[in-house]
Amino acid sequence: MMRQSAWRQMTAPELWMGLFALALTLSLTMAEHMDQRPALQTSPVLHRHKREWLWNNLYVEEERPTYFQYYLGKLKSTKSGDRTHYVIEGEGANTIFKVDEKGDIFVTERLDREVKSKYHLSAKLVDTSNKLVEKVEDFVILVTDINDNDPVFTKSFNASIKERSKRGTKVIEVTATDADDPTTANGELDYKLLEGGDFFNIDSTTGIITTKYENLDRETQSSYVVVVQAQDLRGIKQGGTATTSVSIAVSDINDNIATFTKSSYVFRVKEDMKRGQRIDTMVLEDRDEIQNKDPIFTIAPSSDIFEMERSQIKDGNLMENHLQSPADNKDNPLIKAQVTIQVLDVDEQPEFSKSIYNFNVIEEMMVNNIGVVSARDPDQANKAIRYSIEDKDSPIGINPITGQLFTVRKLDRELVANHMFQVKAKEEPNGLESFVNVNILVIDINDNKPELSIEEIFVCENDMAGTVIGTISATDKDDHLPAFSFTLVKPNGNFSVIDNNDNTSNIVLKHGGFSLEDSRDYVIEIGISDGGRPPMSSITSLPIKVCRCDNKRIHTQCKAAQLKMGVSVHALIVILVCILTILVIVILIAMRKRHQKDALVTLGKSEIHEQLVTYDEEGGGEMDTNGYDVSILTSARNDGSMSMRQGPSLYAMVKKPPTACKGDMAVMIEVKKDEADHDRDEIPYDTLHIYGYEGPESLAGSLSSLDSSSTGSNLDYDFLNDWGPRFRTLAELYGVDGSEGSDSPY
């Protein structure tokens, strides 16, 4: 797939090729002018002019747009004149390549070097009668390469390496192909390891992977997966890339000594044991694989009675080698027997259908079925398999029953282009488990806006109309074929933007006459479209400085352009919503506080109380008239403010029965305490002193001393004597004690 982003940034080989083509054109032009100079009259001797064509190979760049035909080169002959014209024949003649009467060659079509890299043509000079004036000459038009193809790995790679191999041992050679010209940087590939660099190296030119150290140990880790990246343009940032995974298995060597499981053995042997019978087995432990377990047994000192044999699993069998004479069963020995061997099933790990899984996922999409990872139990039991992903932060999930992969969250190729993780397959319920590597390649979509790429734009005081004051380009994080187009968002009377049709645009002056003394600032808004599917666009404000420059347009003094700041409509809406939300919250808080204040005012109107200074103190009772100013309460009672309450008082009234009995007052007090404890709207009792009045329907009447401070009372309080010893003091204060001359209980 062609990547037109190569038009944005010219690589070093392309720059040299362009300079070469320019030099070739200049040489052709100089040759033409030299032929037109008058001959030097330095000698009367006549020289025969050699008739020959004047040109070299012509070069044309591939994928160059051909909105209009463009000039390629010029044919030149010493016999050309006013009555002659040029004719070309051969590959692409008069279709792709055209020549005019003056010999100028033009290109009319876009060329692809990967389709055809050179065109063989011939040129001839004829007169008006189409008779040949100059002999036919062949020439070649070469198509120069641009980096419009990415590297490709055409196969998968698997390798093995013996453990403890020397440093630098070759493991495998990984190669990629690139359709671009291999003689230029466009087709020169650079290899590097993205993963696995802790144990392996790769040659950046050949792609040969070698061991980095000598400590590869199969018993520690038996396999590795390395990720190789191939990048053209010799590995620079702008080059195209491709990746592949290489599975490397570590093979076993005999690098572990077989050892006995214990240092001392005790065996018991019956005296009648026959020759050749196994006494017992001495088990050996060897971390190597069975083919590298090769022990040799000896008995020291040597013995004619016992001998050592290797078992099938290469352990040591101690055998009886002594034959007693005569044998007890010499008359009827059973020397032949039928042996039946039953193969017992050994529990093995689950086996995956592939050694590595590769899937593609389109970015910014939730995918329910990426693909299926499948494993089975190779044993006869054929247990069910349960799948899981060990990485809890993995953006990929897996169905534990079916092994179907799905996205947990949307993937972003610009953040991570390739996700690698391991899937675990485990036999249910608690069997063996195995792992497999899964590689998810994120496919790009056009989801990033193009960004303006520009260094500094300035206009000189001496610039004239039509001056190109700068060239702008753009970048895009997406991996696609950008076709950037640039426009002015708003018409501008000073500057214009001319699209070069090569992903760049020129900023051109409409008029001159700029001055440092002018206080105006110049800012243009550039609109960029990337031409993708769907197309993404952006708008960038570009400040332009006014400078004083020399005759080479090198600025010596500049006035910095001030970038005007603005607020978008969306930002204004968000700010307005925030202000309204805060205003509503403040109003609600104010209404709540006012409601609480009104409740307290209502409470103040319904009760007369004083603030206590000390908490949890024992009151002085009815006899304590010094702790509180009761004159205010008395005046409130006398002026009728206490009689404004309609209905029951703040606290529920308790009616006394016609005949008071002992303990009724205690019950009333407990009821009031319980009401106060469960009334959330009232102020706690430990902060207020409450003066209550009994309602008119109470048989006890008012218990307050507000009316008894100066005037006599005509109420009969003798019934207080019936309320028990707790109210004896009240009975003495308010009861009739026989001295009628006393006007006050105090």
Side-chain angles (χ1 to χ4, degrees), residues 230-464:
Q231 187 170 26
D232 57 20
L233 293 182
R234 300 191 184 102
I236 65 175
K237 182 178 180 182
Q238 291 79 10
T241 61
T243 58
T244 188
S245 298
V246 181
S247 298
I248 302 175
V250 181
S251 59
D252 186 52
I253 64 172
N254 189 16
D255 60 343
N256 288 277
I257 299 175
T259 60
F260 291 107
T261 57
K262 54 185 178 180
S263 60
S264 177
Y265 295 86
V266 176
F267 300 133
R268 290 179 173 83
V269 181
K270 293 181 179 181
E271 62 178 350
D272 59 349
M273 176 171 284
K274 305 301 184 291
R275 180 181 181 181
Q277 286 185 330
R278 183 178 64 86
I279 299 174
D280 211 328
T281 300
M282 303 175 70
V283 179
L284 298 180
E285 185 180 71
D286 195 332
R287 297 180 62 195
D288 293 326
E289 294 180 346
I290 188 67
Q291 67 270 17
N292 290 320
K293 182 180 179 181
D294 193 18
I296 299 175
F297 299 96
T298 58
I299 297 177
S302 60
S303 173
D304 295 333
I305 301 175
F306 305 102
E307 65 179 0
M308 294 293 296
E309 291 184 357
R310 282 198 307 190
S311 67
Q312 291 183 351
I313 59 174
K314 299 184 179 180
D315 291 328
N317 290 336
L318 181 61
M319 310 297 293
E320 168 67 47
N321 194 32
H322 175 67
L323 179 61
Q324 298 181 357
S325 179
D328 294 338
N329 60 343
K330 64 177 182 178
D331 296 329
N332 55 351
L334 183 62
I335 60 175
K336 292 183 179 181
Q338 181 179 353
V339 178
T340 300
I341 300 176
Q342 295 181 344
V343 181
L344 301 179
D345 186 29
V346 178
D347 195 8
E348 297 179 89
Q349 297 176 339
E351 294 180 353
F352 286 94
S353 60
K354 297 181 180 179
S355 60
I356 187 172
Y357 290 85
N358 296 284
F359 301 104
N360 296 334
V361 176
I362 299 177
E363 68 170 332
E364 301 299 339
M365 292 182 62
M366 296 298 293
V367 182
N368 294 325
N369 186 10
I370 299 175
V372 176
V373 176
S374 176
R376 68 176 185 88
D377 182 10
D379 300 323
Q380 185 177 2
N382 194 20
K383 298 178 181 178
I385 304 298
R386 190 171 186 86
Y387 304 92
S388 63
I389 297 176
E390 295 294 296
D391 186 4
K392 302 302 181 183
D393 296 329
S394 174
I396 308 299
I398 188 170
N399 187 303
I401 306 300
T402 64
Q404 179 174 303
L405 299 174
F406 57 88
T407 55
V408 177
R409 58 180 181 271
K410 295 180 180 179
L411 306 182
D412 189 348
R413 191 202 65 86
E414 287 69 42
L415 295 179
V416 181
N418 192 41
H419 294 269
M420 292 194 66
F421 55 91
Q422 285 190 328
V423 171
K424 181 176 75 173
K426 184 175 182 180
E427 299 174 352
E428 289 192 328
N430 293 311
L432 299 178
E433 59 188 36
S434 60
F435 297 85
V436 71
N437 292 315
V438 179
N439 182 33
I440 302 293
L441 180 64
V442 184
I443 304 300
D444 185 51
I445 63 173
N446 192 30
D447 60 341
N448 288 276
K449 295 181 179 180
E451 299 177 359
L452 186 66
S453 176
I454 188 62
E455 294 181 356
E456 183 183 50
I457 297 293
F458 63 92
V459 57
C460 296
E461 290 181 319
N462 54 355
D463 282 343
M464 305 299 291

Side-chain angles (χ1 to χ4, degrees), residues 221-240:
Q221 185 171 351
S222 61
S223 63
Y224 297 85
V225 176
V226 298
V227 178
V228 180
Q229 173 183 281
Q231 187 170 26
D232 57 20
L233 293 182
R234 300 191 184 102
I236 65 175
K237 182 178 180 182
Q238 291 79 10

Side-chain angles (χ1 to χ4, degrees), residues 26-40 49 54 74 76-78:
L26 291 176
S27 65
L28 291 174
T29 305
M30 292 177 62
E32 177 181 0
H33 287 294
M34 291 178 64
D35 289 340
Q36 295 175 355
R37 292 181 302 172
L40 296 176
H49 292 281
L54 302 177
K74 188 177 184 66
K76 184 65 178 178
S77 173
T78 56

